[in-house]
């Protein structure tokens, strides 16, 4: 591996790690989503620094030019991350569907109670009674 | 039957032009039915039209698609203790008078959990066959063919949403109902949960207006999506979860 590509790989991995850590520090990034990114950065950095390990992995995968193994692993991480995001999006979609449905049903219930209580000229505000079982 | 409670669910998305007449028709034809409209985030006057026609209106805060809207109706029926629920689309495609036919079938065969109105069953009446475009009919017959292989020879119109459900079916679908194009998958879910269904012949109208949930351009996407859902549904050992187990929705599951 030439020194130039190794330097590039090290700088890239370091930058990735630092950006992720900084985003977590600023609370822009939930830890559970940051973990996969951090693992990705640590592994890439380790392989970029430690040539022997990268050579070993390249041999194992049957890749003649060791730096290609680095890209191969990086692409693997990207795929895992994308899968992770698709899962997260699916979960959020389902959660927001559930919330929308419950909200709509509650809203209908409250509006109907408001209508009947205004008919009865009730004194209590509706929201206090809506919570009681 | 007098002590039992009946609900007519009208899912509506931008159906301001039709929904009021549909509701008035239901009130006239089916006086024992309460009417609830699930407004799927309409941007027109659907809500006002439905309320002024005397329906209860459940307003979803944003558009969930037909599956999410209909599931809201199942939840409403479950929460308010209805024994039967019929789905009548807000576009005027389903004739409320034909609900009587669904009811009669349910009374005659009380072991059925769902009675589905079919456009394609040939019966003694001289009602005209539903004039669907040929591309859509091809898809419908393909789904019917596949479902017949899986659940038995009782399905001719698997995409019809004109369906009457009993309490057991309401409980099942309130818990879990497919997302995008639910009707075909719902048949499969019934089968996997050992609930039973049958069809009865009904007359349907052409749509009065508004947008179909399946526009012509989306037909292919629709077919592929439903085929995927059917395949995956088959591969699931138990598509719907017994009470006490983790829920089937992705929402409740930690990553």
């Amino acid at each position: 591996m030439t020194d130039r590509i190794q330097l590039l790989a090290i700088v890239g991995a370091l930058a990735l790690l630092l950006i992720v850590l900084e985003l977590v520090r600023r609370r822009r990034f939930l830890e559970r989503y940051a973990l996969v990114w951090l693992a990705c950065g640590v592994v890439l950095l380790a392989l970029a620094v430690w040539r022997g390990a990268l050579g070993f992995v390249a041999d194992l995968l049957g890749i003649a030019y060791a730096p290609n193994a680095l890209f191969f692993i990086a692409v693997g991480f990207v795929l895992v991350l994308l899968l992770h995001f698709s899962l997260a999006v699916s979960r959020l979609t389902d959660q927001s569907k559930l919330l929308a449905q419950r909200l709509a049903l509650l809203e209908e219930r409250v509006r109907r109670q408001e209508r009947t209580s205004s008919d009865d000229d009730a004194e209590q505000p509706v929201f206090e009674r809506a919570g009681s079982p | 039957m007098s002590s039992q409670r009946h609900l007519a669910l009208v899912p509506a998305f931008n159906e301001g032009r039709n929904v009021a007449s549909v509701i008035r028709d239901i009130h006239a034809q089916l006086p024992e039915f309460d009417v609830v409209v699930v407004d799927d985030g309409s941007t027109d006057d659907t809500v006002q039209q439905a309320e002024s026609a005397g329906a209860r209106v459940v307003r979803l805060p944003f558009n969930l698609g037909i599956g999410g809207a209909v599931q809201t109706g199942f939840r409403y029926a479950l929460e308010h203790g209805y024994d039967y629920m019929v789905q009548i689309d807000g576009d005027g495609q389903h004739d409320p008078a034909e609900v009587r036919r669904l009811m009669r079938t349910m009374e005659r065969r009380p072991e059925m959990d769902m009675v589905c109105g079919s456009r394609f069953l040939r019966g003694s009446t001289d009602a005209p066959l539903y004039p669907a475009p040929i591309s859509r009919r091809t898809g419908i017959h393909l789904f019917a063919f596949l479902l017949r292989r899986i659940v038995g020879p009782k399905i001719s119109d698997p995409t019809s949403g004109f369906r009457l459900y009993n309490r057991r079916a309401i409980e099942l679908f309130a818990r879990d109902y497919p997302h995008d194009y639910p009707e075909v998958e719902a048949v499969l879910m019934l089968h996997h949960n050992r609930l039973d269904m049958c069809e009865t012949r009904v007359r349907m109208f052409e749509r009065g207006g508004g947008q179909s949930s399946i526009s012509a351009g989306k037909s292919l996407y629709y077919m592929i999506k439903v085929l995927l859902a059917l395949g995956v549904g088959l591969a699931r050992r138990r598509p719907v979860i017994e009470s006490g187990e983790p829920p089937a929705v992705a929402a409740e599951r930690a990553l």
Side-chain angles (χ1 to χ4, degrees), chain A residues 51-115:
Chain A
R51 285 186 186 208
L54 187 61
F56 177 73
V57 172
D59 273 353
L60 216 61
L61 296 171
I63 297 172
Y65 181 53
N68 278 350
L70 199 61
F71 294 123
F72 184 80
I73 291 165
V75 168
F77 266 113
V78 168
L79 284 181
V80 169
L81 276 167
L82 286 179
L83 200 63
H84 187 73
F85 291 145
S86 295
L87 279 173
V89 170
S90 299
R91 199 165 47 92
L92 289 171
T93 306
D94 235 22
Q95 282 175 338
S96 70
K97 182 189 86 168
L98 267 172
L99 283 176
Q101 289 176 332
R102 294 225 177 134
L103 172 72
L105 290 168
L106 273 177
E107 201 178 44
E108 193 271 343
R109 199 174 272 239
V110 169
R111 277 193 303 151
R112 204 136 45 86
Q113 278 188 352
E114 268 171 357
R115 222 170 292 151

Side-chain angles (χ1 to χ4, degrees), chain B residues 167-189:
Chain B
R167 181 78 186 172
R168 289 199 333 149
I170 290 171
E171 281 171 8
L172 169 67
F173 289 134
R175 250 195 343 243
D176 188 13
Y177 196 64
H179 271 254
D180 290 336
Y181 304 112
E183 288 86 5
V184 180
E185 278 178 74
V187 171
L188 200 65
M189 281 179 59

Side-chain angles (χ1 to χ4, degrees), chain B residues 192-250:
Chain B
H192 282 305
N193 287 274
R194 294 162 201 256
L195 271 61
D196 214 346
M197 64 159 287
C198 65
E199 287 187 337
T200 193
R201 181 189 166 80
V202 295
R203 187 170 35 137
M204 283 196 200
F205 299 127
E206 281 190 84
R207 306 172 46 77
Q211 276 188 315
S212 168
S213 59
I214 316 165
S215 71
K218 286 185 185 159
S219 279
L220 187 68
Y221 169 71
Y222 170 75
M223 283 192 46
I224 292 170
K225 193 257 163 198
V226 174
L227 286 177
L228 172 69
L230 280 181
V232 173
L234 276 182
R236 267 180 215 148
R237 216 171 301 144
R238 210 165 5 170
V240 170
I241 305 301
E242 303 294 318
S243 70
E245 292 184 0
V249 289

Side-chain angles (χ1 to χ4, degrees), chain B residues 134-146:
Chain B
I134 183 81
S135 62
R136 194 173 306 172
R137 257 188 332 222
T138 310
I140 291 172
H141 290 310
L142 173 64
F143 295 140
F145 173 82
L146 289 173

